[in-house]
Amino acid sequence: MRVVLADDHAIVRRTLRLLLQNEEDVEVIAEAVDVSAVVDHVNRHAPHVVVLDLRLPSGSSIETIRQLRTQFPKTKVVVMTMEESPLFAQKAIDAGATGFVVKDRADTELVTAVRRAARGQEYVSPRVASGLEALRRATGDDGLTRRETEIVRLIALGQTSAEIARGLHLSRRTVETHRARIHAKLGFTTRAELVQFALRLRLIGA
């Protein structure tokens, strides 16, 4: 399996290269330090899998995932990140990622994630998977929309409607409408209940 590593930290790339190249069936063919280099390497080398840090400089890694899935659909993407929120995992998967690995579990999970991605199979770190499943249930047909879920997270973090509106480029009235729908759907009446809900879904840290 041909793999491109994308991380802006040289020590991390070296560690991941050694980890992957210990496997007889894996070859790291290129390394990238920013999103433009990722696209360039995929275009030139047609790897089976890109291992992509979710916080690369010089652009949006989420947009890069979308671009790769559109332009190079045969190349699969495994995201590596320090983020353990299932909301981030769902955003990456929605963009086209096949794998989501928590960075400090790479030594035990990355090889499995790369192999499964090469076969087109989803892999999510077990530390995130249960929260992701709960999130998917909560955002099902009769549940919260993705926008509402993001607003729940921001409310639970203590942001006001005005702050949420600025951050999401919405009007305050739109945010207030979302808040009313959230409370109606979940049957909550207080912010404390929203915080507990967000903690249960691991939208925020404990």
Side-chain angles (χ1 to χ4, degrees):
M1 291 175 287
R2 298 187 308 279
V3 176
V4 168
L5 285 177
D7 194 291
D8 59 328
H9 294 95
I11 293 175
V12 173
R13 293 197 309 275
R14 183 161 61 248
T15 301
L16 296 179
R17 176 184 279 274
L18 290 172
L19 175 70
L20 291 170
Q21 294 203 154
N22 276 335
E23 305 297 316
E24 292 184 357
D25 58 341
V26 179
E27 179 186 7
V28 177
I29 57 174
E31 298 180 13
V33 298
D34 57 34
V35 295
S36 61
V38 173
V39 177
D40 181 58
H41 284 313
V42 173
N43 185 44
R44 286 195 290 150
H45 300 294
H48 296 101
V49 178
V50 174
V51 176
L52 179 69
D53 181 5
L54 199 56
R55 298 291 186 184
L56 280 182
S58 304
S60 166
S61 293
I62 293 293
E63 289 305 318
T64 300
I65 295 169
R66 290 195 181 98
Q67 182 179 355
L68 293 175
R69 288 298 294 150
T70 299
Q71 296 182 6
F72 313 101
K74 291 184 179 180
T75 294
K76 307 302 180 184
V77 177
V78 172
V79 165
M80 280 219 326
T81 179
M82 296 301 294
E83 293 284 355
E84 295 188 26
S85 167
L87 193 59
F88 283 94
Q90 191 61 61
K91 284 181 178 178
I93 291 167
D94 286 346
T98 307
F100 188 93
V101 176
V102 177
K103 226 169 195 178
D104 65 4
R105 301 296 298 169
D107 58 336
T108 58
E109 297 180 9
L110 183 58
V111 171
T112 298
V114 166
R115 285 206 171 100
R116 292 190 64 171
R119 297 195 295 266
Q121 299 171 349
E122 183 178 290
Y123 180 90
V124 177
S125 284
R127 193 185 297 173
V128 179
S130 59
L132 180 60
E133 180 58 32
L135 175 64
R136 286 171 171 171
R137 288 196 300 271
T139 57
D141 292 340
D142 299 319
L144 302 179
T145 66
R146 294 283 157 72
R147 174 65 82 190
E148 289 166 349
T149 305
E150 177 67 8
I151 290 174
V152 167
R153 186 179 75 87
L154 296 175
I155 293 170
L157 289 171
Q159 291 192 21
T160 65
S161 292
E163 290 170 333
I164 294 170
R166 285 195 298 271
L168 298 181
H169 306 291
L170 301 171
S171 71
R172 181 169 178 170
R173 183 175 180 179
T174 298
V175 172
E176 293 290 354
T177 299
H178 280 304
R179 291 184 76 140
R181 287 175 180 164
I182 289 164
H183 281 280
K185 286 182 178 181
L186 298 178
F188 296 160
T189 57
T190 68
R191 177 179 170 272
E193 291 173 306
L194 281 178
V195 171
Q196 289 302 312
F197 176 78
L199 284 168
R200 193 162 63 248
L201 265 63
R202 299 187 69 178
L203 301 180
I204 59 173

